[in-house]
Amino acid sequence: MVQNQPGGAPPDAVADLRIRSVQAFPISFAMPQDRIVRHGIGAAVKRDTVLVKVQTECGVVGWGEAHHGRGPTSIADLINNTLAHFLACRSAAAPVDAWGAVYARHLASHGQGAGTMIALSGIDMALWDARGRYWNTPCHVLMGGERRPVRAYAGGVSLGFQPAETLVEEVAALVAANWRAVKLRFGDGVGRDVPRLQAVRRAFPDLTIMVDANCAYGLADLRRAADALRDCGAEWLEEPFPAHDHRSYAEAKPLMGGVPLAAGENHYGRFEFHRLLEDGSVGIFQPDLSKAGGPSEVLRIAHMAGAWKIPVCPHIATGGLNHAATVHLLSAIDNGGWFEGDASPGNIFRDELCRIEPDADGMVFAPMGAGWGVEVDEALIRAHPVIAGPGFV
């Protein structure tokens, strides 16, 4: 590791951090039958992610995480056989320069397709990590922030469809583990969704409750559920509709009785978030650092949203690299909202990379150390070869 100080880049920093290679590794693990969670997009039968390794000329290595995009081998192939070529002669000293190269040579002419934005996200995250390691500095400092408490809620692939009484038991265990907020799932039919929400609210009058419909609702469903969401004090309703259904979001906002709509995990890049600003229907932005274009682009999105006083509460991906990077970014923006803590049962890619849990006050902190503060043992990659087939059925 090069022990340079941040703030004044030495003349050789660009050369030192010249990108030597970019490699992507798709990995998976199967969920045991007794730990499968079902929500609005199906039952999660396996977990996938794509780890991205950037090696630089001086020997510093940076790691990032790209979302699996429901096709982890395709995302990895896009990185290894296309995007990596655009990064020749670029440097991790300026991740925005590398980002711009991919934009100019691919995105501008072929559109901001989800696959390319997801792949670029993992690369960009790895470049930030390398930069932080070179200067022996945490990424939140490089982003202009400080290590500070961040509010957290229990989310991830958890709290799925189940009888109300067992859902209350699952929430109780999370509350006992210092979670002061949780995200419940809608999309199982209003007649089953609402009673679950009401049961949790009765059991925990002071708990902050978010609700995620996973794009499984229509306007008719929302009209039937809106009063309960308001009466139960839902913090937000997340993605009732697909990302492209702008008209439904616009029609839904007046129905919500003050409960804001949240979206963004399936929006790619600042240009799609600009449309959300223009529409004015979504009150909580949720870009994913492993999907929306990486930390560089999510910083742009956050600053843009800040001008409209819109909080940014990022969606999280599968693994601990994404989780760590998310807390770092939330520590560096002035409109940072909630961190979505991963409460998924048995998430190996969280537990073996970086498990972030709340303190007694329900807060989380960015990991200590250079870059993202996460050490990647490549034995993890060898131990979890990619599994073919869909992750949700």
Side-chain angles (χ1 to χ4, degrees):
M1 182 183 298
V2 180
Q3 299 294 326
N4 293 312
Q5 294 298 314
D12 59 350
V14 172
D16 284 348
L17 287 173
R18 195 78 66 191
I19 297 168
R20 178 184 294 173
S21 65
V22 178
Q23 296 173 279
F25 306 94
I27 55 177
S28 306
F29 68 89
M31 291 302 300
Q33 192 65 33
D34 63 348
R35 292 193 167 187
I36 291 177
V37 174
R38 186 172 66 90
H39 52 64
I41 55 176
V45 295
K46 69 182 175 93
R47 304 300 300 274
D48 304 302
T49 197
V50 180
L51 297 184
V52 181
K53 179 183 181 181
V54 169
Q55 297 190 77
T56 64
E57 290 296 338
C58 69
V60 167
V61 172
W63 286 93
E65 180 180 356
H67 194 272
H68 53 79
R70 305 291 182 89
T73 54
S74 297
I75 298 298
D77 183 72
L78 184 55
I79 293 170
N80 292 331
N81 296 316
T82 301
L83 301 191
H85 294 283
F86 300 146
L87 301 177
C89 299
R90 303 289 170 176
S91 174
V96 172
D97 176 63
W99 202 102
V102 173
Y103 179 84
R105 300 184 186 185
H106 194 93
L107 294 169
S109 59
H110 288 77
Q112 291 197 169
T116 303
M117 291 299 287
I118 290 170
L120 176 56
S121 297
I123 295 171
D124 184 71
M125 190 181 294
L127 294 176
W128 273 94
D129 189 45
R131 190 166 167 237
R133 290 177 182 277
Y134 179 79
W135 279 301
N136 195 28
T137 303
C139 282
H140 65 262
V141 174
L142 296 180
M143 293 174 172
E146 60 181 348
R147 194 168 188 265
R148 63 191 187 200
V150 176
R151 293 181 300 170
Y153 70 90
V157 183
S158 64
L159 298 166
F161 301 157
Q162 59 190 292
E165 56 270 21
T166 61
L167 178 61
V168 168
E169 292 173 0
E170 187 176 349
V171 171
L174 293 170
V175 171
N178 294 327
W179 296 100
R180 300 291 176 257
V182 301
K183 185 161 74 179
L184 304 183
R185 301 290 180 167
F186 274 24
D188 194 27
V190 176
R192 290 179 290 275
D193 295 336
V194 167
R196 292 186 187 119
L197 169 62
Q198 292 170 331
V200 173
R201 173 53 75 213
R202 285 193 301 270
F204 305 97
D206 299 323
L207 184 68
T208 300
I209 301 175
M210 294 78 170
V211 176
D212 185 355
N214 290 112
C215 306
Y217 263 27
L219 281 167
D221 300 309
L222 191 146
R223 290 189 182 96
R224 292 176 58 204
D227 287 348
L229 287 164
R230 182 197 63 233
D231 294 344
C232 289
E235 186 79 0
W236 66 61
L237 175 62
E238 181 175 335
E239 280 204 319
F241 321 113
H244 55 263
D245 192 357
H246 300 281
R247 183 180 181 88
S248 290
Y249 278 98
E251 292 187 23
K253 182 180 177 180
L255 305 175
M256 295 303 299
V259 176
L261 295 169
E265 70 174 271
N266 292 306
H267 290 79
Y268 299 94
R270 61 193 183 276
F271 303 108
E272 292 191 3
F273 280 88
H274 186 272
R275 170 67 188 268
L276 293 185
L277 287 173
E278 290 178 331
D279 288 351
S281 303
V282 174
I284 308 287
F285 280 10
Q286 299 176 304
D288 188 321
L289 275 69
S290 292
K291 297 177 75 174
S296 296
E297 189 74 343
V298 175
L299 281 170
R300 294 176 177 130
I301 292 165
H303 297 326
M304 183 172 67
W308 274 260
K309 307 300 183 185
I310 294 175
V312 171
C313 304
H315 174 265
I316 57 162
T318 299
L321 266 167
N322 168 278
H323 305 166
T326 299
V327 184
H328 278 278
L329 184 136
L330 283 169
S331 301
I333 59 175
D334 59 7
N335 56 333
W338 294 85
F339 168 68
E340 181 180 4
D342 185 78
S344 306
N347 183 354
I348 294 170
F349 300 151
R350 169 200 61 205
D351 297 342
E352 295 196 19
L353 288 170
C354 181
R355 185 172 185 131
I356 296 176
E357 296 179 306
D359 64 13
D361 296 318
M363 301 291 186
V364 298
F365 292 83
M368 302 286 283
W372 303 125
V374 177
E375 301 301 325
V376 178
D377 184 344
E378 295 191 41
L380 174 70
I381 296 169
R382 295 188 292 271
H384 299 285
V386 71
I387 300 171
F392 291 86
V393 297

